[in-house]
Amino acid sequence: MCYNAANMWRMAWVSPLPGADLNGSILAAGHQRTFRLPGQNKERQSLVRINPTWALTGKEPRSFTKTPLPVFYISLRQPEKPFEDLRPINNRIAIYTSHAEQLANSYQSSVLHAELAAAGEEFRSEIKYGIVVRVNSIDASASGSANITVCRIGSLKESSSDGSCSDGRDNDCDGSPAFTSASAAFAAAAASTDSTDSAAAAAESAATAALVA
């Protein structure tokens, strides 16, 4: 058996961090959630689990031993022989999916989607699930931890036409909501003491550009 977070959860050897067992009622579109991940084997509560219930159609086959959709498992894996004989030998954020339930007869395999080893790296799932995982920091030491941000995509691109630029959410999960720069540009235009038409037009143009960027 591969000792990844999905299989470890199925065996009830590890569980999600407090507040990190996520689904559609907890992880709203466009809202970021940040977590500190300890080493997967260092603490009993050590992973982030995301069940993308927002992608359910109601047509999925029902089963007691298999989840309708793949569930995402995110953990910090650290080299630790004999069970974590990782190659290359470095700490990394591992992202797996599995359809497994916590049942002895739930014979579901796990799938590795990404391994992130440095700050700034990110994983984006297929758009059906719209999950983004970004590494903020990762400690290379054997007892280190990592800081990650999880986000659920609400739209592929923020736009002023649908209000997604000004709703206070990071709808495209790029880490920088467009409304921030747009609001700053409009504030600068409003605060401008230059009364010339050209200056006012330039300020308005900058604000509009920020909205559609």
Side-chain angles (χ1 to χ4, degrees), residues 4 8 10 17 25 36 58-59 69 71-72 78 111 119 125 138 145 147 160 162 174 178 184 189 200 205 208 212:
N4 60 57
M8 298 275 279
R10 174 181 171 268
L17 293 161
S25 64
R36 184 195 72 85
K59 299 179 180 180
L69 297 174
V71 178
F72 290 75
Q78 300 167 316
V111 177
S125 72
I138 184 167
S145 62
N147 184 282
S160 58
D162 61 8
D174 66 353
S205 177
T208 302
V212 299

Side-chain angles (χ1 to χ4, degrees), residues 26-67:
I26 301 173
L27 185 61
H31 285 285
Q32 300 183 17
R33 302 288 296 272
T34 299
F35 300 95
R36 184 195 72 85
L37 292 176
Q40 176 182 285
N41 302 326
K42 298 295 192 296
E43 297 180 20
R44 179 67 180 269
Q45 292 179 296
S46 61
L47 60 92
V48 175
R49 182 176 184 268
I50 308 175
N51 185 359
T53 55
W54 57 85
L56 288 168
T57 64
K59 299 179 180 180
E60 294 81 9
R62 300 185 65 179
S63 171
F64 291 107
T65 60
K66 179 180 179 180
T67 60

